[in-house]
Amino acid sequence: MGVVNVTPDSFSDGGEWFAPEAAVAHGRDLRARGADVLDVGGESTRPGAERPSEAEELRRVLPVVEALAEGGPVSVDTMRAGVAAAALDAGATLVNDVSAGLADPDMVPLVADRGVPVVAMHWRGHASDMQSRAVYDDVVAEVCRALGERVDALVGAGVARERIVLDPGFGFAKTAEHNWELLRRLDEVVALGLPVLVGTSRKTFLGRVGRADGDERAPLERDVATAVTTSHAALHGAWGVRVHDVAGAVDALDVTAALGGRV
C-alpha cells in the first residue's frame, strides 16, 4: 500500500505532494514501482496535528482519488464518513479509517451499506492529544482486545468479517517501546484471524533506533529501517504494509521470499 499524502503538514514529506497534480503523479510513480493499492489521505495524523475541515479534506482528496482510480485500486485514508462516501463514489474501493469507526458514528453504517473492505486501526483519540493516552500494562494484549471489540462492533453493524483488515496502530498513542513490543509480538495480532496491515513507515521510533538524542534520522532517512520492518512483517504473517518507499518495500519482500520467508 503506497502512501499518497495530500496534506501541507505531513511528517514524512512536508507537503511535497499537496498540489493535486503532484499527488497524482506521485501515486502513479508509486504504482509503477510496485504498489498494489494507493492510500490517499487529506488529513495529517502526526502527533499534535490539527484537523482540516471536511470541506477542505474533500477538496484535497477527491480529484486525486478520481484520477488514480482509473489505473488501479485506491484506498481513502479518512475518519469522516462524508469523505469516505464521496471518495467511494469517485472510484475508491477501500476505506482506511485510523479510528476504526470511532471518530464518526456514520462511518460503520456507511462501510456496511457499501460492502467495501475497511481497515480498522487501534485508536485512542485524535492526533492533537493522542500521545497522552500512551499508557498500557501490556500493550499487545490491550491492542488485541480493543481490535477484537471493534471487529465485534463492525460485524454487529453489518460489516462482513472477511472485509475487515486490522492495523495495530504503530505510532498512534504508542511510545517507541510500545511500537517495538508490537513488532516483536506481531504474531499475536495476526492470531486474531484477520488480515493485518503494518504501518511503521518513517515513524519516529525508527528515526531514534540506535541513535543518541539529537542525532535521530530525519523522516526521509528512515526508509532502510522501514524496509527491515517490512521483511519482519512478512515473516510474521502480515497481510500488507503501508509505506512511503514502495521500491524499498518490494526489494525487502523479494529478499525475504528468496530466503524462504512468507510473502
Side-chain angles (χ1 to χ4, degrees):
M1 181 179 283
V3 179
V4 182
N5 288 321
V6 195
T7 59
D9 54 348
S10 167
F11 82 94
S12 64
D13 54 44
E16 186 172 357
W17 320 115
F18 185 45
E21 298 81 3
V24 171
H26 181 55
R28 288 171 176 162
D29 180 62
L30 292 180
R31 184 170 280 146
R33 292 174 183 271
D36 298 299
V37 179
L38 298 176
D39 192 39
V40 179
E43 175 181 352
S44 174
T45 51
R46 62 177 174 77
E50 296 296 327
R51 305 194 73 190
S53 67
E54 181 166 337
E56 172 61 14
E57 188 179 351
L58 285 165
R59 187 195 68 78
R60 295 174 183 181
V61 303
L62 287 185
V64 179
V65 168
E66 185 172 14
L68 292 177
E70 295 175 357
V74 171
S75 166
V76 59
D77 178 2
T78 185
M79 291 180 277
R80 290 180 166 123
V83 175
L88 291 171
D89 290 342
T93 56
L94 184 153
V95 175
N96 180 13
D97 182 354
V98 299
S99 80
L102 291 169
D104 184 339
D106 294 328
M107 182 66 87
V108 175
L110 171 72
V111 295
D113 179 64
R114 296 294 189 96
V116 295
V118 59
V119 178
M121 195 192 80
H122 176 259
W123 186 78
R124 283 189 165 183
H126 289 290
S128 58
D129 62 351
M130 66 181 175
Q131 290 309 102
S132 66
R133 299 183 174 92
V135 180
Y136 305 87
D137 292 323
D138 182 332
V139 64
V140 180
E142 292 176 52
V143 166
C144 287
R145 182 167 59 250
L147 288 175
E149 291 170 355
R150 291 311 298 155
V151 170
D152 289 344
L154 287 163
V155 172
V159 179
R161 183 180 176 86
E162 61 270 20
R163 293 187 177 275
I164 301 172
V165 176
L166 301 179
D167 182 341
F170 291 96
F172 287 79
K174 316 281 191 311
T175 65
E177 291 75 17
H178 295 145
N179 293 324
W180 289 118
E181 187 69 5
L182 276 167
L183 275 174
R184 280 190 290 268
R185 296 165 57 189
L186 189 61
D187 291 352
E188 295 176 43
V189 183
V190 172
L192 293 172
L194 290 171
V196 173
L197 178 67
V198 170
T200 58
S201 187
R202 297 182 180 173
K203 295 288 174 73
T204 300
F205 77 107
L206 297 181
R208 293 175 178 167
V209 63
R211 296 295 185 94
D213 290 344
D215 190 36
E216 296 88 349
R217 299 172 188 82
L220 293 178
E221 297 171 354
R222 301 170 189 168
D223 287 337
V224 174
T226 299
V228 176
T229 66
T230 291
S231 179
H232 176 85
L235 288 170
H236 289 269
W239 165 81
V241 289
R242 182 181 182 274
V243 297
H244 301 84
D245 176 23
V246 168
V250 170
D251 283 350
L253 292 172
D254 287 343
V255 171
T256 303
L259 291 170
R262 297 172 296 179
V263 295

